[in-house]
Amino acid sequence: MIKAFIFDLDGVIVDTAKYHFIAWRRMANAVGFDFSEAENEQLKGVSRVDSLNLILDWGGVEKTEAEKQALATQKNEWYREYILKMDASEILEGVLPFLDAVEQRGLKLAVGSSSKNATTILEQIGLKDRFEVIIDGNKLTRSKPDPQVFQLGAEAMGLQPAECVVFEDAEKGVDAALAGGFYAVGVGGDNLSHAHHVVPNFKGLSPDTILQALPAQAIQ
Ligand code: B16
Ligand code: MG
């Protein structure tokens, strides 16, 4: 029986992928190469350090650990310039009514994000207090597609994975949810067809529509 909905943050509640892309691209350009928006798609849900290693690989660039640390720090400073200007107007359409409906249905709400900036973003958009549990990148030792982020979320709510539905925009995020035994709903994005259900966004969506789209055992 489903008792909680766990939301990824970047790409599900807000579109911060565009700010990650601008900041990573600025870093790559400073190092002497460029990468595409299609390549950026592969960074969704991936931790900062893993993203940096992928980008440097694409550019054929080798750096020492100390240099990598400096590049990741610089990228994060550029990224934070954008997120510190965010406000509630950046909450994706349909999310707020959906959260209200989930609460009214008596289900718990949690966030499971790879981002170390997740709490800052939730504060900026005024949603920090809406979630019973927030698991962010600071609490993780393993990046999606490892299920750790969602496992910690379920544990903190005292629930089993099969009692939670994860909402994810990233292929690796859906992989993580499935690997942990969670129900997975893909939101927008590419390559999400392995999720139990896929929706384009939250516009006009009700929690019951989600629950009815899951395998029968999810609501028994
Ligand atoms: P940070 P999510 C992920 O957040 C992003 O999708 C991914 O692009 C980013 O590299 C990662 O957070 C780490 O972010 O540098 O802020 O710690 O989608 O899991 O909410
Ligand atoms: Mg995401």
Side-chain angles (χ1 to χ4, degrees):
M1 188 75 174
I2 297 302
K3 297 190 175 139
F5 282 5
I6 305 177
F7 296 81
D8 171 53
L9 179 62
D10 291 346
V12 169
I13 293 175
V14 286
D15 177 20
T16 40
K18 60 190 179 205
Y19 302 138
H20 279 297
F21 184 44
I22 293 169
W24 278 130
R25 211 167 160 213
R26 193 168 164 188
M27 183 222 74
N29 291 172
V31 174
F33 67 96
D34 202 2
F35 69 96
S36 68
E37 205 160 352
E39 284 170 314
N40 188 59
E41 198 58 32
Q42 294 176 49
L43 304 177
K44 291 187 175 174
V46 177
S47 71
R48 194 179 310 164
V49 61
D50 290 352
S51 299
L52 174 65
N53 284 325
L54 273 171
I55 294 166
L56 292 177
D57 273 356
W58 296 336
V61 172
E62 286 194 18
K63 294 283 176 192
T64 64
E65 283 311 310
E67 287 167 337
K68 283 186 194 176
Q69 184 60 52
L71 289 171
T73 301
Q74 175 66 81
K75 179 267 174 179
N76 195 50
E77 281 168 15
W78 286 329
Y79 177 63
R80 285 183 66 86
E81 284 174 18
Y82 289 96
I83 61 172
L84 291 175
K85 291 184 195 138
M86 289 176 79
D87 61 27
S89 68
E90 295 211 34
I91 300 170
L92 291 171
E93 206 179 337
V95 168
L96 287 177
F98 188 75
L99 295 180
D100 290 343
V102 174
E103 262 178 352
Q104 275 162 18
R105 221 186 167 289
L107 299 167
K108 292 173 188 263
L109 293 170
V111 162
S113 168
S114 303
S115 174
K116 293 184 174 175
N117 293 296
T119 303
T120 303
I121 294 168
L122 287 168
E123 276 169 357
Q124 289 290 131
I125 62 175
L127 283 186
K128 185 166 168 276
D129 297 332
R130 290 298 297 273
F131 298 95
E132 176 170 330
V133 165
I134 297 170
I135 306 295
D136 66 17
N138 298 297
K139 299 185 172 132
L140 304 176
T141 52
R142 299 186 298 277
S143 184
K144 298 169 188 175
D146 188 285
Q148 185 187 36
V149 59
F150 302 127
Q151 286 166 337
L152 291 177
E155 265 171 46
M157 292 186 283
L159 298 177
Q160 296 299 315
E163 295 176 311
C164 306
V165 181
V166 168
F167 291 82
E168 257 293 349
D169 69 310
E171 184 179 5
K172 291 185 182 80
V174 170
D175 294 342
L178 297 180
F182 294 82
Y183 290 101
V185 173
V187 184
D190 299 330
N191 305 320
L192 304 179
S193 58
H194 52 321
H196 291 95
H197 184 55
V198 180
V199 294
N201 52 54
F202 288 99
K203 276 185 242 172
L205 193 65
S206 81
D208 284 314
T209 309
I210 296 296
L211 294 172
Q212 281 154 18
L214 297 177
Q217 66 266 28
I219 49 170
Q220 275 163 7

